[in-house]
Amino acid sequence: MEEVDVEPTTTPIPGFDSNQKHLGFVWGPGDILVYETIYKASGGSAGGCPFVHEVRKDEDIYSPILRKLFNESHHIFVGLQRIREDLPSKNKKPQFVSISKNYRSVIRACMEELQQVAVYHNDSLGNTLLSLELIWNLCEVLFIDAAPAGSLVLHLLDWVRLHKADVDEKAREVLASESPAEHQAYWDVVISYVLQGRMDEARQVLVKQAALQPAARVMFKLLDNLLMKMPIFNPGETQTLTEFDVKWRHWREEVDHCLQDQSFASNRHLEDICKILVGDEDVLLEYKELLSTWYHFLVTRLLFSHPTVKPTELHYYAQSSMHMFLDTRSVPEPLDSILLAAFEFDIHQVIKDCSIALNNWWFVGHLTDLLDHCKLLQSHNLHFGSNLREFLLLEYASGLFTHHSLWQLAVDYFDHCPEFGRVYLELQIERVPLDTERKALKVIRICEQRQMTEQVRSICKIMAKKALRNNRLGSALSWSIRAKDAAFATLISERFLQDYCAKGTFSDLDLIDNLGPAMLLSDRLTFLGKYREFHRLYGEKRFSDAAKLLLSLMTAKIAPHSFWMTLLTDALPLLEQKEVIFSADQTHELMFCLEELTSGKSVPTPDKPMQDEDIETTKIELLRLALARNLAMAIVKEGTVEI
Amino acid sequence: MVSVINTVDTSHEDMIHDAQMDYYGTRLATCSSDRSVKIFDVKNGGQILVADLRGHEGPVWQVAWAHPMYGNILASCSYDRKVIIWKEENGTWDKMYEYTGHDSSVNSVCWGPYDFGLILACGSSDGAISLVTCSGDQQWDIKKISNAHTIGCNAVSWAPSVVPGSLIDQPSGQKPNFIKRFVSGGCDNLVKLWKEEDGQWKEDQKLEAHSDWVRDVGWAPSIGLPTSTIASCSQDGRVFIWTCDDLSGNTWTAKLLHKFNDVVWHVSWSVTGNILAVSGGDNKVTLWKESADGQWACISDVNKGQGAVSSIADGATNEQ
């Protein structure tokens, strides 16, 4: 047994009140059942609890807000799978980045919708989504976009800015006020901008203060100048990283000079800004509240002390930043561990931690799939390699299958799991409740598209049985034909015939008339079809064709013996026509049939009521008479020579 | 990780011994020491009593739903030595067949895969296992394996219908290679595999590893691999996972999943066979999963206890 890194979560079930009882457990097709019971070696017990609880593993599936997330990400997922394998990787990177951004925008759209709905106890969901987007964004920057030194800090800055939107709100508030420079939050805004590397905005706000203090104009101009001149790496330019580094160091020295010169000594705020610009960590930490997170602190640190940081160097800074920022007593949150793992480029750890921390597999499934497409999983030499992707996707899709409409999305996910996707689909799709014909047809179509013939047959049989239970014979028949279920078709044909005998008419004529080759599925069905044809011919007054058919039904043994009496009775009107329809030979055959039938009936059955006997005998007498008369007429007709 | 979404009040007057969802999760069947079998409609979180079936004269141990293609059919087995098969016809449930061929409590019933037709395996305290097959309208054939386990048989479970691996080789359109097999566990501490050959049931394998009565066995659903997997649990507190890699089904290897401190009463596989639930005397149900490198890990504990559980369903919060 493997050692697990974390203790498995224990879920208490409410209501069980005694320590003497055991927990019964049963898998449902979707949910789980638990109930109280006692297991004992021998039978008998006293007293029990009548409750059975239905327990569900994944509540998120049923959240209407997340429905959009599942639907849209499904769309993106399918598009991603279709990207051609043969294109070289470097051409695909922009595509992957774009797909990553699509996923993130779907998360953001959900968050916005949540805010609009503003149901307060969905806050935890909102926070979760926020964290998800944060993590995904970082993964995109570090793994998918894989920014090199120089661009790396810029991307990380963007990342931080995106997730610290309150700065702009505060700034708007300050600038909209009567006297911005005297606003309580004024310096917070300025410093926040500087911490985020947004020098232009910082300068714009600083100008307000400068206007208020004409005496210190020189000082403000100096700072403004420094802020303006701060070198920012531009990956598009021809400037190399080294050149940038030199330029940056120059500038830093200049700022340092100003500090040494005590140029800003008279204004504590300006001096702090200067100290931040040279990357003074102590000062940075004084502004913990404005930074609010250790990773903001990290990025700011990098911006002002090592903007040319290489990806491989990140983890030193990440770890130290976290330690410096967080209270040594506090335990790191799951989010912190995940981000740290990302900074350490330990993709495996990121996925593992996310799997444990999150309630459903959506996030890790889609992210891992994307990373796998970027060929990032293999290069990290995972235990599972690409199996991890499939493992997670199977989990996610299986979870979707319990939902009454989302299960259709799951089908595509299974399609793209080459090893077990198909068999998982086969096992799960049989469990989709076939409430309506339409739903059944939908499920069948999905199965047919994937050549899952066993499942199609099984579903058709189930629908046929259901239709029969509800006395919808026509529907039952068409389902059993589709299922190629000869036995059931026979059963239903019998019912049709019984109904005919009882009522004298057929139901579902359309169906029977248009059976076509399906008629051959079962003998009884063939008979049903042909018998109906006989009636049609009779109706169209094509008497000789009808007669021929009727006879062949008996002689070719298509008709069951039990039905022969009815057939012969049907022959009566044909025999009593003025015109001779049955030829002499045919009449002979009919007589043979009658004899065959009556010889079996020579033994009187004691339990048959007298009336039935009488009716039977009368019928037979009538038939014999009609046949004899017809024979006579036929012989005469055939013997007559037309002159 | 899990939340309670619905609680069905079965109104059973005594201990519940088994509860089973039907194929689609829309109906629930329960059985109890109060000798009744009850069926509820649990669609959309509701509970409507559909049937209260009386016919047993002792505690009813297990219920099992047949495949929906045969209609709505439920089997139940009881201390009264009877196995009753119930069927829903025209909206009402009635006894379809009653089997009284055992001399002692029938402890376990299990329907075979639907491809085999309607066939039910029953394990009894008289040591025998019966195979009850529906051969036509109201016609039932019985095959009995006497002395399958000395002292008594506690559990039976069917193998999936396709011989693992053969699906890959079959050209489409041909009937797959069916071999009827099932596994049983008994008071002789053994797990036995049974195979039907030429219309007769023969003991195929004897798996020894437990040191006390085997209480439950479960054959995992097939996921297309050429491996067969069986779980067994026993009063000795151990749960074993048995695997067989070859198609002929001859070499089985045992892996100890875990040794618990108390009797382990039940094991059951999830629908896709990737999670095993183990119910133990330590009042907990643990869920186990096999990771990609073949190790089994415990992923969750579900246990009884007091305390509030908040279940969130579509935005509403209720505390229980």
Side-chain angles (χ1 to χ4, degrees):
Chain A
M1 185 193 63
E2 182 184 282
E3 293 291 321
V4 269
D5 301 359
V6 273
E7 271 299 303
T9 44
T10 305
T11 307
I13 301 295
F16 290 129
D17 53 356
S18 162
N19 263 319
Q20 297 298 315
K21 305 283 171 62
H22 297 136
L23 194 69
F25 179 101
V26 157
W27 290 102
D31 303 322
I32 298 166
L33 294 175
V34 292
Y35 53 93
E36 190 184 284
T37 187
I38 284 190
Y39 296 118
K40 266 161 121 169
S42 56
S45 59
C49 174
F51 295 114
V52 174
H53 301 273
E54 241 182 287
V55 171
R56 179 167 290 161
K57 272 193 291 177
D58 192 353
E59 267 306 293
D60 288 347
I61 302 270
Y62 293 84
S63 159
I65 305 260
L66 292 184
R67 181 92 43 95
K68 190 193 195 129
L69 184 74
F70 298 134
N71 271 310
E72 305 218 357
S73 57
H74 162 258
H75 190 65
I76 301 172
F77 173 84
V78 171
L80 172 57
Q81 310 309 310
R82 299 214 177 112
I83 291 181
R84 287 172 49 203
E85 277 295 310
D86 51 350
L87 288 177
S89 303
K90 67 174 180 346
N91 293 352
K92 291 197 261 183
K93 183 159 104 159
Q95 256 185 318
F96 291 143
V97 173
S98 148
I99 287 173
S100 178
K101 289 197 195 316
N102 284 344
Y103 274 125
R104 286 196 296 121
S105 67
V106 173
I107 301 176
R108 291 205 147 246
C110 267
M111 285 198 292
E112 273 164 28
E113 212 178 295
L114 255 183
Q115 274 164 8
Q116 281 174 6
V117 172
V119 185
Y120 83 97
H121 48 248
N122 262 324
D123 238 11
S124 67
L125 186 58
N127 284 337
T128 310
L129 288 176
L130 207 63
S131 305
L132 290 186
E133 208 268 331
L134 182 73
I135 300 169
W136 193 304
N137 200 346
L138 185 60
C139 289
E140 182 186 304
V141 166
L142 296 176
F143 308 143
I144 302 174
D145 216 347
S151 314
L152 180 57
V153 162
L154 298 177
H155 281 96
L156 287 175
L157 264 179
D158 282 335
W159 175 64
V160 162
R161 286 173 192 166
L162 196 60
H163 295 95
K164 199 99 184 51
D166 60 347
V167 176
D168 289 301
E169 230 182 273
K170 240 193 270 181
R172 267 195 297 273
E173 202 188 297
V174 165
L175 292 172
S177 69
E178 286 252 339
S179 178
E182 285 167 342
H183 195 288
Q184 191 191 16
Y186 175 81
W187 284 110
D188 281 348
V189 169
V190 176
I191 306 244
S192 295
Y193 275 140
V194 171
L195 291 172
Q196 285 192 8
R198 292 158 80 173
M199 302 315 177
D200 289 337
E201 282 113 319
R203 287 168 60 213
Q204 277 171 17
V205 181
L206 262 178
V207 154
K208 307 280 181 198
Q209 185 68 239
L212 272 190
Q213 299 183 32
R217 205 163 50 90
V218 169
M219 196 168 58
F220 277 94
K221 197 79 178 72
L222 180 59
L223 185 59
D224 186 70
N225 203 7
L226 287 175
L227 289 173
M228 187 182 69
K229 284 201 303 192
M230 177 175 174
I232 302 286
F233 182 70
N234 190 339
E237 271 179 20
T238 50
Q239 173 195 62
T240 66
L241 198 62
T242 331
E243 285 167 6
F244 163 77
D245 198 35
V246 167
K247 233 178 136 188
W248 178 74
R249 282 178 196 285
H250 261 291
W251 170 84
R252 200 159 177 262
E253 270 171 35
E254 207 183 316
V255 179
D256 205 29
H257 268 223
C258 293
L259 268 180
Q260 305 299 340
D261 285 348
Q262 305 277 316
S263 311
F264 301 105
S266 56
N267 188 321
R268 205 204 99 221
H269 289 114
L270 297 184
E271 196 170 55
D272 275 351
I273 292 175
C274 215
K275 289 188 179 165
I276 290 172
L277 292 179
V278 294
D280 185 328
E281 283 163 7
D282 295 323
V283 173
L284 280 177
L285 284 171
E286 276 174 31
Y287 288 100
K288 243 191 190 177
E289 249 189 73
L290 294 180
L291 288 167
S292 76
T293 58
W294 63 270
Y295 39 93
H296 189 334
F297 173 58
L298 161 68
V299 176
T300 308
R301 248 180 103 197
L302 289 172
L303 175 65
F304 295 120
S305 52
H306 194 173
T308 54
V309 67
K310 295 205 268 283
T312 44
E313 296 166 334
L314 264 185
H315 71 280
Y316 294 126
Y317 288 99
Q319 275 172 351
S320 55
S321 300
M322 200 165 95
H323 287 135
M324 282 195 265
F325 193 90
L326 290 178
D327 208 331
T328 42
R329 280 170 287 133
S330 64
V331 178
E333 304 254 299
L335 177 62
D336 296 326
S337 316
I338 294 169
L339 293 174
L340 191 61
F343 284 121
E344 290 171 352
F345 284 82
D346 192 348
I347 298 184
H348 180 33
Q349 193 65 36
V350 171
I351 295 172
K352 187 170 179 187
D353 287 347
C354 288
S355 304
I356 294 173
L358 294 169
N359 201 19
N360 92 26
W361 300 97
W362 177 86
F363 183 76
V364 285
H366 288 88
L367 181 61
T368 309
D369 173 59
L370 181 56
L371 293 175
D372 188 55
H373 273 92
C374 300
K375 306 263 185 287
L376 287 169
L377 289 183
Q378 285 147 355
S379 68
H380 281 69
N381 265 339
L382 283 182
H383 237 313
F384 320 105
S386 66
N387 280 339
L388 178 63
R389 169 194 169 272
E390 186 161 319
F391 179 83
L392 295 172
L393 287 177
L394 287 172
E395 289 293 327
Y396 172 65
S398 297
L400 283 181
F401 240 99
T402 58
H403 191 277
H404 59 87
S405 67
L406 289 177
W407 65 269
Q408 295 168 75
L409 301 180
V411 176
D412 285 313
Y413 287 97
F414 284 133
D415 281 344
H416 291 106
C417 290
E419 266 199 78
F420 297 118
R422 190 195 164 85
V423 70
Y424 265 64
L425 181 59
E426 282 173 1
L427 286 170
Q428 306 262 30
I429 203 151
E430 289 187 313
R431 303 291 182 144
V432 175
L434 307 168
D435 316 312
T436 60
E437 286 236 347
R438 226 180 86 204
K439 199 164 182 195
L441 288 170
K442 199 185 281 192
V443 176
I444 287 175
R445 202 172 348 119
I446 291 173
C447 292
E448 279 175 345
Q449 282 168 351
R450 289 155 183 79
Q451 284 92 44
M452 293 181 177
T453 41
E454 276 304 309
Q455 279 69 26
V456 172
R457 291 253 297 275
S458 158
I459 291 168
C460 291
K461 283 189 185 180
I462 294 170
M463 293 306 287
K465 194 86 191 178
K466 224 168 153 174
L468 187 63
R469 265 209 310 276
N470 294 328
N471 265 315
R472 293 185 350 254
L473 291 182
S475 181
L477 185 60
S478 58
W479 279 115
S480 46
I481 289 173
R482 196 158 179 180
K484 299 200 189 10
D485 187 350
F488 210 62
T490 303
L491 196 90
I492 298 173
S493 306
E494 284 280 358
R495 284 281 294 270
F496 268 114
L497 293 167
Q498 279 167 18
D499 272 4
Y500 170 75
C501 287
K503 292 184 241 169
T505 54
F506 282 113
S507 55
D508 301 283
L509 284 176
D510 263 343
L511 176 61
I512 304 174
D513 284 343
N514 294 308
L515 282 174
M519 215 192 285
L520 301 171
L521 180 62
S522 102
D523 284 344
R524 195 63 90 254
L525 185 58
T526 315
F527 170 62
L528 178 65
K530 292 276 170 207
Y531 187 51
R532 166 65 201 144
E533 203 184 317
F534 162 73
H535 279 274
R536 247 200 7 250
L537 291 171
Y538 189 91
E540 290 167 15
K541 302 213 191 297
R542 289 162 59 186
F543 293 129
S544 57
D545 287 330
K548 220 187 302 187
L549 178 57
L550 184 66
L551 188 57
S552 70
L553 285 178
M554 283 186 281
T555 53
K557 307 271 187 257
I558 300 176
H561 257 246
S562 51
F563 221 75
W564 279 19
M565 206 54 218
T566 316
L567 290 176
L568 288 167
T569 321
D570 283 332
L572 263 177
L574 289 172
L575 291 166
E576 316 226 301
Q577 295 272 341
K578 278 215 222 41
E579 223 189 289
V580 172
I581 298 170
F582 285 103
S583 74
D585 285 335
Q586 285 175 328
T587 317
H588 268 127
E589 295 205 51
L590 279 174
M591 288 169 122
F592 276 136
C593 291
L594 182 57
E595 288 316 305
E596 208 183 307
L597 199 59
T598 51
S599 59
K601 286 186 194 235
S602 56
V603 181
T605 39
D607 40 66
K608 240 186 168 185
M610 278 307 291
Q611 288 168 314
D612 277 2
E613 281 288 330
D614 279 344
I615 294 173
E616 280 293 301
T617 339
T618 323
K619 261 203 255 182
I620 296 171
E621 297 290 306
L622 272 172
L623 272 169
R624 289 218 175 96
L625 188 56
L627 282 167
R629 270 215 287 264
N630 194 68
L631 186 58
M633 294 206 293
I635 292 174
V636 168
K637 176 173 172 215
E638 282 159 35
T640 311
V641 174
E642 302 283 335
I643 300 174
Chain B
M1 283 287 276
V2 298
S3 42
V4 177
I5 54 160
N6 189 17
T7 299
V8 176
D9 182 355
T10 61
S11 302
H12 273 300
E13 289 151 9
D14 206 332
M15 192 72 61
I16 297 175
H17 293 292
D18 198 12
Q20 293 284 339
M21 289 282 227
D22 76 344
Y23 215 61
Y24 303 115
T26 48
R27 285 207 170 159
L28 171 68
T30 57
C31 63
S32 157
S33 272
D34 70 3
R35 305 168 183 197
S36 73
V37 173
K38 294 193 189 192
I39 301 177
F40 298 87
D41 188 322
V42 290
K43 265 203 299 269
N44 301 322
Q47 58 161 99
I48 305 169
L49 180 67
V50 169
D52 186 345
L53 305 172
R54 307 273 165 170
H56 281 295
E57 286 147 8
V60 187
W61 299 128
Q62 280 192 7
V63 284
W65 289 95
H67 193 274
M69 75 163 66
Y70 296 108
N72 285 344
I73 295 178
L74 184 73
S76 61
C77 64
S78 157
Y79 181 73
D80 68 357
R81 300 170 290 162
K82 288 198 279 203
V83 173
I84 302 181
I85 299 175
W86 314 84
K87 184 173 181 155
E88 187 185 31
E89 202 78 67
N90 297 323
T92 46
W93 283 86
D94 263 319
K95 225 185 266 194
M96 185 188 183
Y97 179 63
E98 191 175 287
Y99 173 61
T100 46
H102 282 289
D103 307 318
S104 203
S105 168
V106 183
N107 300 318
S108 175
V109 279
C110 184
W111 289 103
Y114 67 75
D115 328 58
F116 297 168
L118 207 51
I119 176 167
L120 184 71
C122 320
S124 162
S125 287
D126 66 3
I129 297 174
S130 305
L131 285 315
V132 178
T133 315
C134 183
S135 55
D137 202 20
Q138 306 293 3
Q139 296 270 60
W140 295 84
D141 289 335
I142 313 291
K143 288 207 179 89
K144 198 164 174 192
I145 306 171
S146 301
N147 288 317
H149 292 272
T150 49
I151 310 176
C153 171
N154 293 322
V156 285
S157 170
W158 286 88
S161 65
V162 188
V163 173
S166 67
L167 259 180
I168 311 162
D169 305 309
Q170 293 297 329
S172 56
Q174 278 194 319
K175 239 178 172 237
N177 201 13
F178 288 149
I179 296 180
K180 290 193 193 140
R181 293 192 297 172
F182 70 89
V183 61
S184 66
C187 303
D188 51 5
N189 308 347
L190 294 174
V191 172
K192 291 192 181 179
L193 303 184
W194 306 88
K195 197 193 279 197
E196 193 192 42
E197 259 168 36
D198 305 319
Q200 297 284 26
W201 285 94
K202 302 206 171 78
E203 184 184 304
D204 186 41
Q205 291 280 323
K206 202 187 308 216
L207 306 178
E208 293 183 59
H210 288 292
S211 54
D212 205 338
W213 292 11
V214 177
R215 294 300 335 181
D216 201 6
V217 288
W219 202 310
S222 161
I223 47 165
L225 288 178
T227 341
S228 295
T229 312
I230 293 175
S232 67
C233 67
S234 156
Q235 286 183 199
D236 66 7
R238 291 190 179 82
V239 176
F240 279 100
I241 307 288
W242 305 85
T243 44
C244 174
D245 284 332
D246 63 295
L247 295 175
S248 59
N250 287 333
T251 35
W252 290 84
T253 26
K255 189 189 285 188
L256 176 69
L257 178 80
H258 191 53
K259 162 102 177 45
F260 292 84
N261 295 327
D262 204 332
V263 179
V264 184
W265 295 96
H266 276 307
V267 283
S268 63
W269 294 98
S270 62
V271 168
T272 43
N274 59 350
I275 307 182
L276 178 70
V278 177
S279 312
D282 58 353
N283 304 339
K284 280 208 282 201
V285 173
T286 44
L287 304 178
W288 300 81
K289 206 180 177 93
E290 188 178 21
S291 63
D293 56 355
Q295 298 300 317
W296 286 87
C298 180
I299 58 171
S300 174
D301 286 334
V302 176
N303 82 349
K304 62 165 190 63
Q306 275 152 332
V309 170
S310 44
S311 67
I312 302 168
D314 284 354
T317 319
N318 15 328
E319 265 159 338
Q320 294 177 298

